[in-house]
Every structure is written in C-alpha cells, then in structure tokens.
Amino acid sequence: MLFTELPMLERFTAAAEAGFQGAEILFPYDIAAPELYRAALAAGLEIVLINAPPPNWAGGPRGFAAEPGLEERFRRDFERSLRVAQALRARYIHVMAGRAEGPAALETYIANLAWACERAPHASLTIEPLNPADMPGYFLQDYDLAVEVIRRIGTPNLGLQFDTYHAQALTGDMLACWRKVAPLVRHVQVGGHPGRHEPDSGTQDHITFFRELDDIGYPGWVSAEYTPLRQTARGLQWLHEAQGRLPH
C-alpha cells in the first residue's frame, strides 16, 4: 500500500531509506518469492507479514476460513500461502475469514483455524476484525468475537492483528479497544480514520498509542497500512514525529 509509485522490487530500498526496518506484503503471489526475498534482503528489511489465501484481488473473495463447504479450498490455499511465507521467511500469516455469517460459519472458522494452527505449529498466525464499510459481509467484524475464537482454539501460534483504522471504524474508540485486547495482540497496523491515510490525518491519537506500546513492552512490529495522500515519502511526518517524541 506504500511506495506504490515505484515498481514492486524497488519499494524495499525506498522503505529502508525512509526509516522502515521491515515490510508487509499483503499478497505476494504475483512475483516469484525468491525475487521478493532477495530484494528485501538487499535492502536490509525483514518480510514481516503476508495474507492468506492468495486472492483474486480485483473483486475476488477475501478468504474462505469461515465459509462452510469450502474447507478443502481453504486448506489448499493455506498450503500455498504457507510455502510462500516460508520462502520469504515471513514472520506472520494473516488468515482471512471471508464472507459468511451465522453459527455454522463460526464453527467452520474455528475448525479451519485449529487445523491451520496444528498444520503449521512453527508459524505465527493472526486474525483481524475488518469493518463492514470496507469489507461488506466479512465474517470477522467484532473484537469480542476475535477474542472468543482465539481463546477457544487456545494454541500459542494464533494471535490478534490490531489495525488502528479498523478499530476506530468498528468501535469509535481505538485506544479503548486496544487497552481491552492488548494481551492477545501479535501484530499492529496503523492508519488514519477516516480516510485510511497517514496516521496523523485522522482523529486518533497515535502518539499516545505508540507510547502505550512502549510502556507495556510490546514486542512486535508496527506496520504502516494506509493509502498515502501523496507520494509516500512526503507523508511520513507522522513517523518522524513519533521517532522524535518516543524513547525508541
């Protein structure tokens, strides 16, 4: 989502020069994984996270984990995502739920996630509530439900992915939501709300949020997941401000 003014393989160097230490690639399925890995390695960046499954992003489904009857499709696509994550040395795999609703969808979701956790005990899997305005019909639109799912599965390799943009859209109070779910959070993403642009363009207090991450010793990554208002590097004042005001 960032540095899209550049060809994909040139974005790693641009990100490193801008001060980033890692890179998310939401859907790294159109370029050979070894090419992506070499480009990241040359720039000195770790590849942090990818999404599963590989989608048809131009209007296709956003996952199948909660869709009854598509268990085989879920497993097949998860296996491909797992191979790509291993080739990229990616730390996290975000497992997308897809469009579904109702009790059968919940049980399908839990069964599929439990299978994935058992299939890949070495991997760190995440789930993320998404707001219905951006993702109509998406099964996981509630943080309480995400907490229930993680606790029911109860494996150490499944955690919560917390996106400040979606949290604000879903709850109206991103900071309160964070304080409620923080113990289960494995990975953090930031973006301004409304608009999903730079964090300093929205209504949330990201500086306070970053300070709280430091105060609790959050050990994970913080990823910039937003659509820049202009060329990416010109909109990174929020990052420079955070680096100047926080202890590290």
Side-chain angles (χ1 to χ4, degrees):
M1 295 179 72
L2 271 61
F3 300 102
T4 56
E5 59 269 18
L6 297 171
M8 182 66 190
L9 293 178
E10 296 179 17
R11 296 177 195 172
F12 299 99
T13 297
E17 291 174 349
F20 292 99
Q21 297 175 329
E24 268 188 19
I25 313 175
L26 299 183
F27 297 102
Y29 302 101
D30 295 330
I31 298 176
E35 290 186 58
L36 289 171
Y37 180 70
R38 284 194 296 268
L41 189 65
L45 298 186
E46 177 180 336
I47 297 179
V48 178
L49 178 143
I50 69 171
N51 282 352
N56 170 8
W57 190 247
R62 305 294 192 268
F64 308 98
E67 296 194 39
L70 294 180
E71 290 84 356
E72 288 304 315
R73 171 87 186 257
F74 169 79
R75 294 187 179 198
R76 183 173 66 250
D77 285 352
F78 181 81
E79 292 283 2
R80 182 185 174 195
S81 296
L82 186 60
R83 290 193 298 272
V84 171
Q86 290 171 334
L88 296 174
R89 279 64 161 184
R91 184 177 298 193
Y92 302 116
I93 302 174
H94 168 214
V95 181
M96 302 193 75
R99 293 182 173 93
E101 62 180 352
L106 176 58
E107 295 310 312
T108 299
Y109 191 43
I110 290 172
N112 278 333
L113 286 170
W115 173 86
C117 289
E118 183 178 1
R119 168 66 185 85
H122 56 285
S124 186
L125 310 182
T126 65
I127 58 174
E128 176 190 12
L130 304 179
N131 79 80
D134 287 292
M135 201 71 72
Y138 194 73
F139 176 72
L140 189 60
Q141 299 181 357
D142 182 89
Y143 281 91
D144 289 337
L145 178 59
V147 169
E148 175 190 344
V149 167
I150 291 169
R151 288 181 172 160
R152 280 186 60 179
I153 294 172
T155 59
N157 60 332
L158 179 66
L160 184 63
Q161 188 166 313
F162 184 85
D163 185 306
T164 63
Y165 166 76
H166 286 295
Q168 184 70 22
L170 285 168
T171 71
D173 191 335
M174 176 270 290
L175 283 172
C177 181
W178 157 255
R179 291 161 185 161
K180 183 177 180 181
V181 302
L184 294 176
V185 172
R186 192 71 50 83
H187 182 67
V188 168
Q189 297 166 324
V190 296
H193 182 276
R196 203 176 192 178
H197 301 302
E198 285 80 355
D200 57 1
S201 69
T203 59
Q204 310 104 303
D205 182 356
H206 277 90
I207 291 296
T208 295
F209 176 63
F210 295 148
R211 187 172 290 116
E212 290 195 12
L213 293 179
D214 276 344
D215 288 344
I216 68 167
Y218 167 71
W221 288 86
V222 177
S223 171
E225 190 184 69
Y226 60 82
T227 303
L229 283 167
R230 44 198 175 275
Q231 282 196 338
T232 304
R234 295 179 59 193
L236 291 177
Q237 182 58 37
W238 68 271
L239 177 60
H240 306 319
E241 180 181 3
Q243 291 171 332
R245 293 176 61 179
L246 296 174
H248 60 277

